[in-house]
Amino acid sequence: MEKQHYTRDDMAGLLRGHGINPTHQRIEIAYALFSRQEHLSADQIMAIVNDRHSETSKATVYNTLNLFKLHKLVREVIVDPSKVFYDPNTGPHHHFYNLQSGELIDIDARDVQIQGLPALPTGMVTEGVDVIIRIRPQHT
Amino acid sequence: MEKQHYTRDDMAGLLRGHGINPTHQRIEIAYALFSRQEHLSADQIMAIVNDRHSETSKATVYNTLNLFKLHKLVREVIVDPSKVFYDPNTGPHHHFYNLQSGELIDIDARDVQIQGLPALPTGMVTEGVDVIIRIRPQHT
DNA sequence: TGATTTGTTAGACAAAGTCCAAACATTGGC
DNA sequence: GCCAATGTTTGGACTTTGTCTAACAAATCA
């Protein structure tokens, strides 16, 4: 487990460490993700950030998440055709995806080996490997 | 490799074999997928089916693909947040996903072993395992 | 035949995400 | 302090994927 209690100041440092200018909105969005360590959709992030008084526009939420993605601060998780999840865990890991509840559970990739994969097409390079195990309650 | 040259009559039989009433539209949609053995989006399927004279509505394309999915005649492949691909190969397999071209390449799952996965959460059952290897041309 | 079920359709609708020009900081130079 | 330059945010229009609905058509069956 990593550090558990992040402050907004930690976020500013984190952003700077990734070459991102830490504005108020960016700090709030980062804080939403990192303080919960959960997989959130853009929608959910917007709801969290604008909980009390509306502060941050839709455009900024999307801009910021794309910026974070570009700087490898968060990762996109694509498991549901209807929405993308953003994952503050950028270490190598895979996912259980609970089809009933929509919940995502991390699987540390260091424990997992995948064998017997064919060679990559020539001239190609691996950008990332996603393993998604879709699960559901027994006896549905 | 499987049988290569499907006819529309083959499609009617295939549909019946899966408990689906083979209507004209359903046969055309199945034929689009199975005769090419490619991963197609709903959009692409609609374009193929309506190539000459418009025959099939958007609603029918989506209805039909969902019906096929329900009867395990095709499989959804979720790799791109912007669209779902439909895959006529329902055998166990994984995918290379070319991030640059959007192309999907099948990987036979019989050759692949995955080790070191943690136990499923209690009361849960595996519905499917997707491995997606995102690739791109070297030296971009 | 009429009644019921099954399929198809156009078009309205919804939701996720992008785009853009205008407005708004924030910074550094003077 | 003022000014420009740069970077950021914003609302709203827009696009795209997909769903829904109500009407219509075709087949089934009694």
Side-chain angles (χ1 to χ4, degrees):
Chain A
M1 293 297 116
E2 313 271 308
K3 182 174 177 185
Q4 207 55 251
H5 300 294
Y6 289 100
T7 66
R8 285 173 170 77
D9 273 5
D10 293 337
M11 291 302 103
L14 184 67
L15 293 179
R16 263 187 288 264
H18 284 257
I20 299 171
N21 187 6
T23 65
H24 177 55
Q25 288 88 336
R26 290 172 181 172
I27 288 171
E28 287 303 315
I29 290 170
Y31 186 70
L33 275 162
F34 284 89
S35 70
R36 305 166 206 250
Q37 299 272 93
E38 269 172 29
H39 306 78
L40 300 174
S41 66
D43 226 35
Q44 293 175 302
I45 290 168
M46 191 156 158
I48 292 167
V49 167
N50 290 333
D51 183 23
R52 306 193 151 279
H53 3 274
S54 180
E55 303 178 305
T56 304
S57 71
K58 186 169 63 147
T60 296
V61 171
Y62 281 102
N63 285 345
T64 301
L65 289 171
N66 283 325
L67 187 72
F68 285 4
K69 180 177 64 172
L70 208 68
H71 286 80
K72 315 252 187 221
L73 194 68
V74 302
R75 191 172 125 180
E76 276 184 347
V77 184
I78 301 165
V79 288
D80 186 313
S82 75
K83 59 180 53 158
V84 172
F85 289 97
Y86 291 88
D87 188 344
N89 178 355
T90 53
H93 70 285
H94 305 303
H95 293 101
F96 287 121
Y97 182 52
N98 185 329
L99 292 167
Q100 187 175 263
S101 68
E103 187 192 13
L104 277 166
I105 302 166
D106 284 0
I107 301 170
D108 194 320
R110 283 170 301 189
D111 307 335
V112 178
Q113 307 93 44
I114 305 176
Q115 268 143 29
L117 288 174
L120 296 191
T122 45
M124 291 285 155
V125 148
T126 299
E127 184 74 19
V129 177
D130 291 345
V131 177
I132 296 151
I133 300 170
R134 292 167 202 278
I135 62 179
R136 59 171 177 78
Q138 213 161 11
H139 171 62
T140 298
Chain B
M1 292 294 118
E2 314 271 310
K3 182 175 176 183
Q4 207 55 253
H5 300 294
Y6 289 101
T7 66
R8 286 173 170 78
D9 272 5
D10 293 338
M11 291 303 104
L14 184 66
L15 292 179
R16 262 186 289 263
H18 284 257
I20 298 171
N21 188 5
T23 64
H24 177 55
Q25 287 88 335
R26 289 172 181 170
I27 288 170
E28 287 303 316
I29 291 171
Y31 186 69
L33 275 163
F34 285 89
S35 69
R36 300 165 209 255
Q37 298 274 92
E38 269 173 28
H39 306 78
L40 300 174
S41 66
D43 226 34
Q44 293 174 304
I45 290 168
M46 191 154 157
I48 291 168
V49 166
N50 290 332
D51 183 23
R52 309 195 148 277
H53 3 273
S54 179
E55 305 179 303
T56 303
S57 71
K58 185 168 62 145
T60 296
V61 171
Y62 281 101
N63 284 346
T64 300
L65 289 171
N66 283 325
L67 186 72
F68 286 3
K69 180 177 63 171
L70 207 69
H71 286 79
K72 314 251 188 222
L73 193 68
V74 302
R75 191 172 126 181
E76 276 184 348
V77 183
I78 301 166
V79 288
D80 185 312
S82 74
K83 59 182 50 158
V84 172
F85 288 98
Y86 291 89
D87 188 345
N89 177 355
T90 53
H93 69 286
H94 306 303
H95 293 101
F96 286 122
Y97 182 51
N98 185 329
L99 293 167
Q100 187 177 262
S101 68
E103 187 192 12
L104 279 166
I105 303 167
D106 285 359
I107 301 170
D108 194 319
R110 283 170 299 187
D111 307 334
V112 178
Q113 307 93 45
I114 306 175
Q115 269 142 30
L117 288 174
L120 296 190
T122 44
M124 290 286 155
V125 147
T126 299
E127 183 74 17
V129 176
D130 290 347
V131 177
I132 296 150
I133 300 170
R134 292 169 201 278
I135 62 178
R136 59 169 178 78
Q138 213 161 11
H139 170 63
T140 299

